[in-house]
Amino acid sequence: MENSTIQDIVLNVKKPVVFRNLEIPWKCFNQSFNEWLGHLHDAHPVLPFECAPLQNGTRPQWERTRTKVEMTTKDFCRNATAHQGHFKDGWASYSYRTVQELPEQCRDGINFGMFGFPEIGEDVSFWLSSSGANTPCHYDTYGCNVVVQVYGRKSWLLFPPGAKLRCSRVPYEESSVYCEENFYSPSTYSSVIAVENDAYHVILEPGMVLIVPPKWWHYVETLDCSLNFNTWLSLETDIDEHISECLTRLIVQDYSKHLPFSSRRHVFNPNELTGLEVPSSSELQSTLQYLLNHQSSNKRQRLKTGGYPSDYLCQTELDRLLEKWRDFVVPVDKLSNHDFFHIMKTNSRRFVPSCDRSSDEDEENAIAAHAINLSCHPGLIQLAKVSLVEQNVSER
């Protein structure tokens, strides 16, 4: 496949697809997992892994509930291998890190030029994890996600925009809208039954490339020791979402400024805590006004944002491309109700009611989370954004 053809498919599919049988010229594909880990160990003998138990309660395994454990990559590999891909009674992950943190031997040749995006330089993340490691179900408010699986396998459960999932902005993380449903260890079918007809599923294996279109919900779980890389492609339409995220942060930051630190730790995702007071409310207001002005500009000016165009192929042309290259690109399968509930039944075996007793969801934190979620519901933010845009246009 030509790079331009891959790019056209990536930027125009409205449902998740997987590329396969591509010859990806990254050096890591010519190394064993142990060799790759050895190069990482030489550069960083000890790394801060996040750990969590394999058993869980009714809530997702939020990042704030995980523990940090420093270990070598050799210890990570040895522990995971000894227990069929996961740690004894738990899992470990060193993930959501940028490739700049890797030694040259680990990131040699990694770029997204062969997929039609040579401009993507170091804006690439890597995810190293043992079996059981998972990312709570969420959707990314910006861009399109391109995921390259290098070692091991990962399970991706996906739902379309508009699926009947309960949105939550707590824990708050810019560009991530979480849902309250726990797909890791659901206690009953009733908590996930609303999306039984909307579930898509794929197990990513080495060499496969997953395309997650904008705003598709996804719950990701590692099946055995795994390494993958990904990048989020900025789109021209992202400016609308930047306005929404700016409004959301203004609300969350203003509500949280008088909360005790223990409650802030509950409201904000750990990666947001260090920059809690930055930017200030005045800076956010200035950023919001800039975005509103930019959004009101004509299309030629909007192209200066650097985002890629999307949805520029008609459905007939896209279908023609997918049919022509069906040996290389396949749609992610939609699950039958039976298969979806089989996955949920398997996951529910990890549910342990006693895990809820150690939760940090006390009454004060629950009140704060409820207030923020009411104020920052995507539907309300959309109404506020439309009103601000119309007001800004009338004042220009």
Side-chain angles (χ1 to χ4, degrees), residues 170 180 255 361 364-376:
V170 176
E180 296 180 7
Y255 184 93
E361 186 90 6
E364 185 176 2
N365 290 340
I367 291 172
H370 183 65
I372 289 171
N373 282 329
L374 284 177
S375 304
C376 297

Side-chain angles (χ1 to χ4, degrees), residues 4-19:
S4 59
T5 300
I6 297 177
Q7 182 191 61
D8 284 339
I9 293 173
V10 170
L11 293 174
N12 286 276
V13 289
K14 298 175 180 61
K15 295 181 178 180
V17 298
V18 169
F19 287 94

Side-chain angles (χ1 to χ4, degrees), residues 19 68 88 166 349:
F19 287 94
K68 288 283 199 314
K88 183 180 180 181
R166 294 172 295 171
R349 294 171 185 161

Side-chain angles (χ1 to χ4, degrees), residues 15-217:
K15 295 181 178 180
V17 298
V18 169
F19 287 94
R20 60 186 183 182
N21 303 325
L22 298 177
E23 295 186 8
I24 304 174
W26 295 2
K27 188 174 180 178
C28 53
F29 280 105
N30 296 318
Q31 300 172 330
S32 70
F33 192 29
N34 284 337
E35 286 174 333
W36 190 90
L37 288 173
H39 292 309
L40 180 58
H41 178 270
D42 291 340
H44 305 287
V46 179
L47 294 170
F49 283 81
E50 287 189 337
C51 299
L54 287 176
Q55 295 179 329
N56 193 43
T58 56
R59 300 181 184 90
Q61 289 189 315
W62 304 120
E63 287 184 40
R64 66 173 182 260
T65 65
R66 303 171 190 171
T67 58
K68 288 283 199 314
V69 178
E70 292 195 346
M71 70 179 85
T72 67
T73 55
K74 291 182 179 178
D75 288 337
F76 165 79
C77 188
R78 180 171 58 251
N79 290 336
T81 303
H83 297 91
Q84 298 181 333
H86 59 73
F87 283 42
K88 183 180 180 181
D89 301 324
W91 56 261
S93 176
Y94 183 68
S95 299
Y96 204 177
R97 306 278 179 159
T98 62
V99 291
Q100 295 99 306
E101 300 178 47
L102 293 174
E104 179 61 30
Q105 297 96 321
C106 291
R107 56 185 171 91
D108 188 14
I110 292 178
N111 66 74
F112 284 75
M114 71 161 293
F115 305 111
F117 306 98
E119 305 86 0
I120 303 297
E122 297 186 331
D123 192 14
V124 176
S125 300
F126 72 92
W127 309 72
L128 172 65
S129 53
S130 68
S131 177
N134 66 98
T135 302
C137 186
H138 68 285
Y139 70 80
D140 305 312
T141 57
Y142 305 144
C144 169
N145 193 0
V146 182
V147 184
V148 181
Q149 191 70 26
V150 179
Y151 303 116
R153 299 173 304 142
K154 275 192 170 182
S155 168
W156 284 73
L157 189 61
L158 304 110
F159 305 94
K164 295 179 180 179
L165 292 166
R166 294 172 295 171
C167 297
S168 178
R169 292 317 301 253
V170 176
Y172 172 79
E173 180 181 63
E174 186 193 0
S175 80
S176 295
V177 177
Y178 290 99
C179 82
E180 296 180 7
E181 284 78 10
N182 180 13
F183 291 96
Y184 182 68
S185 60
S187 57
T188 63
Y189 288 158
S190 62
S191 63
V192 296
I193 199 169
V195 290
E196 61 179 348
N197 297 315
D198 292 318
Y200 293 72
H201 183 243
V202 64
I203 294 177
L204 277 194
E205 298 184 352
M208 295 171 66
V209 181
L210 172 66
I211 309 303
V212 183
K215 293 193 173 182
W216 270 74
W217 295 93

